[in-house]
Amino acid sequence: MPRRSRIAVGGILTECNHLGGLPIDLSTYEASELFRGDEVLQRTTSVVGGVLAALRQAHAEPIPLLYASACSQGPITGECYDQLRGELLERLQKALPVEGGPVILVEAADCCGGGAAGDSVATLSALVDSRTDEIAYAPVVDPVAAAACHAAGEGAELTVSLGHKLDPRWGDPRKMTGRVDRLSDGAFTYTDGQWEGRCEQMGPTAVLVIGSVRVIIMSRATYDWSDEQLRAVGLDPQAAKFIVAKNPMNHRLAYGAIAKKMIVLDTPGPTPASLRHVDFKKLQRPFFPADSDVPGLHPTILH
């Protein structure tokens, strides 16, 4: 079974009015909410109760630290803050290692749902070149490389030329060496939304492990609704630190509940996140966004 993510749960919460009011000290928190260790896990309401419910739903393991919450008053005393902060950090240090959710790297420019081929390796190359030790998932549509992995078989090590074969205008193929971790016929079923229950085919698919990066090599592009393609090849989104998502809308649907952060990337491709780099042939300058200062252009505010 996939390893459960260990998520630390703790915090210090209040609102301070520095213009007046009674100072917030330790007794203020003790009269409201001050929980340590396993006491945190017993909460079913308020902020902590909601966090624990979300972690249970995500099959993550909560690691309780310290949680302090108090109603708004005057400024918090330095002695109180130092004591709570010090205890929180000490408990966190003892609990390490713990994980946050994955960082979603949104490669919007290669969105199959917008007409792109899905064969960009721009973000994949950056992950491999970074030599990260963190687990990362990156998809690419490359039927030639997928066929080579199937011919080699699971467990084989091989060098393949990845990406930019279907639509070479946006980059060059990249030779990479890895181990074939698993093979699949590429069949999966959508689990939500307008296509719930619909069967789809990625065609012969392989997971190629390059260092800590798992490359999902598909033979044909499919629409990214949620995380069905990852799960179809046995990859658990919560086990990764980085996930390359190529749908600029549905990545929130797929990973919003577990993501630590989402970063939209400005990479080459036919469905870019910004039109700033598009070489328009018929538009006359100046125009936005190529030009940030357009004389006579004033925003119209609709009420």
Side-chain angles (χ1 to χ4, degrees):
M1 293 181 61
R3 176 177 59 87
R4 295 176 67 195
S5 295
R6 303 176 73 249
I7 308 298
V9 179
I12 305 170
L13 175 65
T14 190
E15 291 184 15
C16 301
N17 185 334
H18 285 264
L19 298 179
L22 294 175
I24 299 172
D25 57 18
L26 197 61
S27 66
T28 311
Y29 284 104
E30 291 172 338
S32 182
E33 290 185 302
L34 179 55
F35 308 114
R36 295 176 171 89
D38 289 341
E39 294 176 339
V40 176
L41 299 179
Q42 306 306 314
R43 302 305 101 196
T44 58
T45 60
S46 189
V47 174
V48 174
V51 169
L52 293 175
L55 293 179
R56 284 193 295 270
Q57 186 176 11
H59 305 292
E61 178 186 359
I63 307 300
L65 305 178
L66 171 145
Y67 180 75
S69 176
C71 188
S72 304
Q73 288 188 189
I76 187 171
T77 66
E79 181 181 3
C80 174
Y81 177 73
D82 289 343
Q83 180 176 336
L84 292 177
R85 179 178 180 274
E87 185 175 345
L88 179 65
L89 293 178
E90 181 181 355
R91 288 175 177 270
L92 177 60
Q93 184 66 38
K94 290 180 179 179
L96 293 176
V98 295
E99 296 95 8
V103 175
I104 311 303
L105 304 174
V106 185
E107 193 171 0
D110 197 33
C111 175
C112 300
D119 66 345
S120 172
V121 293
T123 308
L124 166 61
S125 293
L127 285 169
V128 171
D129 291 343
S130 73
R131 299 184 182 276
T132 178
D133 293 328
E134 304 285 358
I135 294 176
Y137 301 156
V140 60
V141 178
D142 190 325
V144 175
C149 290
H150 274 256
E154 290 186 356
E157 183 172 302
L158 76 163
T159 299
V160 292
S161 175
L162 276 177
H164 298 293
K165 299 185 184 74
L166 302 176
D167 189 357
R169 294 174 296 170
W170 309 101
D172 298 317
R174 174 80 182 268
K175 281 190 176 182
M176 297 188 184
T177 300
R179 175 179 53 83
V180 180
D181 183 60
R182 64 195 71 181
L183 300 171
S184 166
D185 63 4
F188 69 92
T189 302
Y190 286 107
T191 58
D192 199 0
Q194 63 190 28
W195 289 341
E196 183 176 4
R198 170 179 166 177
C199 297
E200 186 57 279
Q201 277 281 352
M202 297 181 284
T205 300
V207 176
L208 186 69
V209 177
I210 305 172
S212 63
V213 182
R214 276 66 171 162
V215 187
I216 305 94
I217 307 175
M218 301 163 282
S219 293
R220 62 183 297 268
T222 56
Y223 187 80
D224 296 311
W225 182 264
S226 185
D227 60 2
E228 293 93 346
Q229 288 93 329
L230 291 184
R231 296 192 181 277
V233 293
L235 297 180
D236 178 9
Q238 294 190 82
K241 178 57 67 175
F242 301 104
I243 299 176
V244 179
K246 294 190 176 183
N247 189 306
M249 301 177 296
N250 294 344
H251 65 279
R252 297 184 182 278
L253 173 69
Y255 309 112
I258 64 171
K260 180 179 180 181
K261 193 171 186 179
M262 297 183 177
I263 304 173
V264 178
L265 307 177
D266 188 6
T267 57
T271 55
S274 169
L275 298 178
R276 191 176 303 277
H277 309 299
V278 176
D279 184 21
F280 290 103
K281 301 299 184 182
K282 296 183 179 181
L283 286 180
Q284 294 183 352
R285 305 288 290 271
F287 63 85
F288 183 85
D291 303 286
S292 58
D293 185 15
V294 181
L297 179 64
H298 302 285
T300 299
I301 302 175
L302 303 177
H303 297 279

